[in-house]
Amino acid sequence: MEFELINKWLDESINEELINYAVKEAIFNDSFTLRYIDAILREWGKKGIKSSKEVELYLKKRKQPKVRKNEALFDYNWL
């Protein structure tokens, strides 16, 4: 089954470098299954990610904390 899944990725023109990045991402997330790697590759495919540079940009963008602009702080006088 694993061999067929890997061949499916290669038949879908997913390059080996992209597969290696997906393996690294899965290991980083403490998951060691090919199904998880397949899910990562499907997600990247939906987002149009096809090269290692696009993966690096996506991962940097995803891991940056979101900054909220002009968010009013909750100010309440408890006394």
Side-chain angles (χ1 to χ4, degrees):
M1 286 179 60
E2 289 87 2
F3 184 71
E4 290 176 7
L5 184 60
I6 294 170
N7 277 333
K8 182 187 87 159
W9 297 336
L10 295 174
D11 290 342
E12 292 175 355
S13 300
I14 299 174
N15 63 19
E16 291 179 27
E17 189 175 13
L18 199 64
I19 295 170
N20 287 335
Y21 270 95
V23 170
K24 289 177 186 178
E25 183 68 15
I27 291 170
F28 180 73
N29 290 319
D30 291 330
S31 181
F32 306 102
T33 64
L34 287 180
R35 294 293 173 197
Y36 189 77
I37 297 167
D38 187 48
I40 291 171
L41 290 170
R42 276 187 278 125
E43 177 190 347
W44 290 349
K46 288 178 185 176
K47 295 184 184 301
I49 297 172
K50 296 189 186 275
S51 72
S52 60
K53 289 185 179 184
E54 292 174 342
V55 169
E56 290 174 4
L57 290 173
Y58 170 73
L59 293 176
K60 282 182 185 178
K61 188 178 188 182
R62 192 184 80 186
K63 291 179 182 176
Q64 288 178 349
K66 295 182 180 181
V67 178
R68 297 179 182 153
K69 295 180 181 178
N70 297 330
E71 182 177 294
L73 295 176
F74 184 73
D75 188 22
Y76 185 76
N77 185 0
W78 292 93
L79 298 176

